[in-house]
């Protein structure tokens, strides 16, 4: 028995992406779920499950807790609720959980969402305002090693040393994402082009990264509706089938500080790749377009390697000049602009873009796209999806 | 560049907290000793500490004092402030220990500029007082 094609995404909804949404995470989540219901052609009260995630404990308003979102939507009962841990690593796993819930009959219509407001709120992901007294941080925080940018910089620096990848190659990832954002009116960087000159002369934040290597910080929420293929037939949109799901931690997994493995690359992605492609019975050569979790430029070529689009050490060259990863290339990536240039919604916006590619409605549409890979956050326990048109 | 702390912001940063199975490491730190966890059954090192040996699943451990010698495995130079407690720029290094296979440690280097850092640079531990209560293991260049 397999989860392959037992569920599909039938609705996508989003708030605006902005520096200041002027409302809370719960409010943003309610707006995104409402938009997803409208998109799907579903009554709000038909939602009977919620699958969500965040970085804080389940009672924090920052998470936009499912009961608070359900209450504000007036939903009478949740037959399924679940949260997936590890921040952006969870994003595809949230959809996997929803697929398991609807395919097993635990719920009929599950709303998946992520809502966050680091740009105007109190919880900022790039800059800690207080260091939590948690055992896992005692090895790092006293040394000033205190942000995701630094943690991933440590991995990326070693990877660049081992593979010979260059700053220019990373720059092409940033430039291609920006090109895609220039076609996407929703994107934070819509109308804001980036040149290699600007990229290379931007000041370092944590070497080897500059501002242009790290994702946006913005307010917003994105929601998806997951149901069974049978129920999808009565709804408005062409369904995006959940053809493969995969989770992975690999051995000796820490949250963003997995520095103790034989290779400090991204072995959790290798594990998730095997699972997601195994279930989908597809491989890298079958993928028409990929949405790679791009909180940092370097993790795109690193994922090209770990998801099997090229060998270890070839990811940098794959991005060289940008031609292989831009629209019209052999593997267009991050067609909404990704989190480097559309918005940082912890990966949920990347999944919505995967759905658009299957529907044929992206602002950077890959002609005839059938099979889409979407990946979750890196350097943390991760997850991935293959979305297809179901054929 | 050495890491420089702004004392005004330090109070909630230290004291380290840890799990029961990490006592050996942190009790060592209190005595300015770098102790690593070594499996009593199969001699596999583990850092950060854990409950059972990943290799043989044994749960008897020895806490072995390290020579403190290692090599720079990776690093980052932090140039944009993320918290006022730490004055930029400063370097964070990942040290691979010489005598304890598979053991790496995140720390700072105290006597090196960003330009002097290199992969494989030999370093040795030196304890640096961070607050009145805590001195932490940091590293300096090994002088040949
Ligand atoms: Zn053992």
């Amino acid at each position: 028995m397999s989860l392959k094609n037992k569920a599909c995404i039938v609705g996508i909804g989003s708030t605006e992406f902005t520096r200041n949404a002027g409302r809370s995470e719960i409010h943003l989540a309610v707006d995104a779920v409402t938009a997803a219901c409208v998109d799907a052609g579903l009554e709000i009260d038909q939602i009977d499950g919620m699958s969500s995630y965040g970085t804080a404990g389940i009672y924090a308003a920052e998470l936009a807790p499912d009961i608070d979102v359900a209450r504000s939507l007036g939903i009478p009962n949740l037959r399924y609720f679940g949260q997936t841990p590890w921040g952006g690593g969870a994003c595809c796993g949230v959809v996997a959980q929803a697929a398991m819930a609807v395919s097993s009959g635990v719920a009929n219509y599950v709303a998946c969402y992520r809502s966050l407001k680091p740009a105007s709120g109190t919880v900022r992901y790039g800059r800690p305002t207080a260091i939590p007294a948690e055992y896992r941080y005692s090895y790092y925080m006293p040394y000033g090693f205190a942000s995701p940018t630094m943690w991933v910089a440590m991995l990326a620096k070693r990877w660049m040393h081992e593979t010979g990848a260059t700053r220019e190659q990373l720059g092409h990832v940033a430039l291609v994402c920006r090109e895609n954002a220039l076609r996407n009116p929703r994107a934070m960087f819509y109308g804001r082009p980036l040149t290699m000159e600007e990229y290379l002369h931007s000041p370092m934040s944590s070497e080897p990264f500059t501002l242009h290597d790290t994702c946006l910080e913005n307010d917003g929420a994105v929601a998806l509706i997951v149901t069974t293929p049978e129920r999808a037939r009565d709804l408005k949109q062409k369904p995006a089938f959940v053809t493969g799901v995969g989770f992975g931690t690999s051995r000796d997994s820490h949250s963003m500080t997995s520095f103790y493995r034989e290779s400090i690359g991204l072995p959790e992605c290798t594990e998730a790749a095997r699972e997601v492609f195994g279930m989908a019975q597809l491989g890298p050569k079958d993928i028409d377009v990929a949405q790679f979790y791009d909180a940092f430029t370097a993790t795109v070529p690193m994922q090209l390697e770990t998801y099997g689009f090229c060998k270890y050490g070839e990811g940098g060259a794959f991005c060289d000049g940008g031609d292989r990863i831009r629209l019209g290339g052999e593997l267009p990536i991050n067609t909404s602009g990704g989190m480097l240039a559309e918005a940082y919604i912890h990966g949920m916006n990347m999944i919505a873009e995967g759905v658009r590619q299957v529907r044929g409605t992206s602002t950077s549409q890959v002609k005839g796209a059938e099979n889409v890979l979407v990946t979750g956050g890196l350097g943390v326990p991760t997850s991935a999806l293959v979305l297809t048109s179901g054929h | 560049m050495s890491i420089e702390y702004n004392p005004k912001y330090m109070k909630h940063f230290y004291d380290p907290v840890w799990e029961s199975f990490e006592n050996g490491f942190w009790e060592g730190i209190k005595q300015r000793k770098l102790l690593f966890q070594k499996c009593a059954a199969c001699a596999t090192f583990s850092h950060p500490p854990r409950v059972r040996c990943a290799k043989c699943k044994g749960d008897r451990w020895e806490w072995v004092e390290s020579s403190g010698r290692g090599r720079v495995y990776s690093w980052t130079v932090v140039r944009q402030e993320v918290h006022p407690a730490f004055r930029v720029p400063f370097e964070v290094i990942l040290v691979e220990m010489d005598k304890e296979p598979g053991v790496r440690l995140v720390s700072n280097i105290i006597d090196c500029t960003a330009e002097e850092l290199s992969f494989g640079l030999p370093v040795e531990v030196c304890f640096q007082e961070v607050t009145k209560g805590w001195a932490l293991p940091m590293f300096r260049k090994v002088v040949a």
Side-chain angles (χ1 to χ4, degrees), chain A residues 126-147 149-151 153-162 203-209 211 251-252 254 257-264, chain B residues 3 5 10 12-19 21-22 25-26 46-50 54 72-84 86 90-94 102-108 114 119-120 130 136-138:
Chain A
R127 293 179 181 222
T129 45
I131 302 302
E134 235 187 89
Y135 81 96
R136 72 179 81 251
Y137 292 123
S138 295
Y139 297 102
Y140 313 110
M141 297 302 183
Y143 301 104
F145 198 46
S147 76
T149 306
M150 296 181 203
W151 300 330
M154 186 71 89
L155 302 178
K157 180 108 184 162
R158 179 74 195 183
W159 171 80
M160 290 173 82
H161 170 66
E162 289 183 10
M204 288 283 170
S205 52
S206 185
E207 286 180 21
F209 292 148
L211 196 63
R251 65 169 61 233
D252 216 340
H254 300 245
T257 53
S258 299
F259 301 131
Y260 312 99
R261 299 151 159 179
E262 195 177 339
S263 158
I264 65 167
Chain B
I3 187 161
Y5 298 94
M10 294 306 290
H12 52 269
F13 267 79
Y14 312 103
D15 305 308
V17 292
W18 59 88
E19 287 280 298
F21 52 86
E22 298 180 299
F25 180 82
W26 290 103
S46 194
H47 181 78
R50 50 181 134 204
V72 172
Y73 185 82
S74 193
W75 76 92
T76 182
V77 183
V78 182
R79 297 191 185 275
Q80 188 188 49
E81 182 186 286
V82 298
H83 195 285
F86 307 104
F90 63 91
E91 301 82 21
V92 184
I93 60 172
L94 179 61
V103 170
R104 300 195 193 112
L105 198 66
V106 167
S107 186
N108 302 123
F119 290 96
V130 172
L136 292 176
M138 296 193 186

Side-chain angles (χ1 to χ4, degrees), chain B residues 38-44 52-61:
Chain B
K38 185 182 185 185
C39 176
C42 80
T44 299
R52 287 192 182 276
C53 172
K55 193 174 174 195
C56 77
K57 312 305 171 196
D59 64 354
R60 288 182 309 111
W61 299 98

Side-chain angles (χ1 to χ4, degrees), chain A residues 222-236:
Chain A
V222 172
L224 315 165
I225 310 291
V226 174
T227 190
T228 59
E230 294 72 27
R231 289 190 176 88
R233 282 189 213 117
D234 302 326
L235 298 172
K236 255 165 58 181

Side-chain angles (χ1 to χ4, degrees), chain A residues 29-53:
Chain A
V30 166
D31 290 351
V33 173
T34 303
C37 287
V38 171
D39 178 67
L42 200 67
E43 297 298 325
I44 288 173
D45 282 359
Q46 288 179 276
I47 300 291
D48 61 354
M50 284 194 174
S51 181
S52 60
Y53 62 117

Side-chain angles (χ1 to χ4, degrees), chain A residues 8 12 38 46 57 83-84 113 119 124 138 149 176 180 242 248 265 273 284 290 298 308 353 358 389:
Chain A
C8 34
I12 55 178
V38 171
Q46 288 179 276
Q83 276 128 20
T84 307
Y113 65 86
R124 295 193 65 184
S138 295
T149 306
V176 166
N180 293 338
V242 179
E353 176 63 10
V358 172
S389 52

